[in-house]
């Protein structure tokens, strides 16, 4: 998992982007990430439930278990 994270960070860096460490809980349902690009900072907000579901599907896919391919 750490290698995957390093690969993503490296790829983003090649495109002039960086996701800042740490997240900001907005409330019990949403979390925000700050993405830095050349000359622009953007705050992206995600539903915690949607993130959890996406991670669960990704883990199932990588383990070869049944998962919902349409997500």
């Amino acid at each position: 998992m750490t290698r995957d994270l390093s690969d993503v960070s490296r790829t983003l860096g090649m495109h002039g982007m960086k996701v800042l460490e740490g997240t900001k809980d907005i409330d019990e349902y949403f979390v925000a990430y700050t993405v830095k690009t050349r000359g622009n900072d953007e705050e992206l907000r995600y539903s915690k439930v949607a993130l959890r579901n996406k991670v669960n599907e990704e883990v199932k896919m990588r383990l070869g278990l049944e998962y919902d391919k349409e997500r």
Side-chain angles (χ1 to χ4, degrees):
M1 186 68 165
T2 303
R3 193 178 89 214
D4 288 343
L5 197 52
S6 296
D7 291 345
V8 169
S9 292
R10 188 174 18 266
T11 302
L12 286 172
M14 290 188 311
H15 294 288
M17 299 172 65
K18 180 178 183 177
V19 177
L20 299 181
E21 292 293 322
T23 61
K24 180 171 62 173
D25 281 341
I26 297 169
D27 58 26
E28 63 186 272
Y29 303 107
F30 292 92
V31 65
Y33 294 89
T34 302
V35 177
K36 293 185 82 60
T37 59
R38 293 183 182 118
N40 190 24
D41 292 355
E42 186 174 347
E43 185 176 88
L44 303 174
R45 296 170 184 233
Y46 294 98
S47 161
K48 290 180 180 181
V49 173
L51 286 173
R52 184 193 68 223
N53 291 342
K54 181 64 178 170
V55 168
N56 284 337
E57 292 301 314
E58 184 72 19
V59 168
K60 288 178 186 177
M61 181 186 75
R62 289 177 181 247
L63 292 175
L65 302 173
E66 215 172 290
Y67 68 99
D68 186 0
K69 295 178 184 177
E70 294 187 22
R71 285 189 189 210

